[in-house]
Amino acid sequence: MDRFTEGLLRDYGVRAILGKGGLSAKSAEAMKKYGGCYLSVTGGAAAIETLQIEEIEKAYWEDLMPECVWQIRFKGLGPLTVGIDAHGGNLQDEVQTQAQQKADEIMRRMGITQENLG
């Protein structure tokens, strides 16, 4: 959805994008600029989400599957995590950075360096 994010926010007034794979820093900037957010579906919870759908009202740009846009009416929605907020905060990037720092620290403690790894 990265290639569509700014246009959806700017041209169509979309304020929330739902997904599971995260978005780029460019999309986070667009969220900040236009006041949108990215909502992450909890891994493995897609089946639960389908039970909350009342109606698929419309599908746009179906030729772009799987990146088409679905207009769906839900009866309750969740669990969701705010992956990117309207200020551009990107939870996925923060977690990735923290994980890399921890991995680097573990490798350092084990005496493993990049040179050792080849």
Side-chain angles (χ1 to χ4, degrees):
M1 289 302 297
D2 267 327
R3 62 185 169 154
F4 304 113
T5 299
E6 185 162 10
L8 288 169
L9 296 168
R10 180 190 62 230
D11 301 337
Y12 295 96
V14 170
R15 290 297 169 254
I17 295 175
L18 179 69
K20 63 181 175 75
L23 294 174
S24 69
K26 181 179 176 186
S27 289
E29 282 300 314
M31 297 291 179
K32 182 177 180 180
K33 182 175 182 179
Y34 298 104
C37 66
Y38 176 76
L39 303 172
S40 298
V41 176
T42 302
I48 294 171
E49 303 296 337
T50 63
L51 299 174
Q52 299 169 340
I53 295 174
E54 285 188 338
E55 180 181 358
I56 297 173
E57 295 177 346
K58 189 161 183 168
Y60 299 89
W61 308 299
E62 290 184 65
D63 56 317
L64 298 176
M65 286 284 191
E67 293 182 329
C68 70
V69 175
W70 298 86
Q71 182 176 327
I72 301 172
R73 185 170 0 130
F74 287 93
K75 176 182 65 182
L77 183 61
L80 301 170
T81 300
V82 177
I84 300 174
D85 63 31
H87 302 286
N90 190 327
L91 181 61
Q92 187 171 7
D93 282 354
E94 292 171 20
V95 169
Q96 181 65 36
T97 298
Q98 290 174 4
Q100 186 61 55
Q101 289 170 346
K102 287 185 182 273
D104 292 346
E105 174 63 20
I106 291 167
M107 300 291 268
R108 187 188 64 73
R109 287 184 190 173
M110 294 173 62
I112 298 172
T113 64
Q114 288 298 325
E115 294 82 31
N116 294 359
L117 295 174

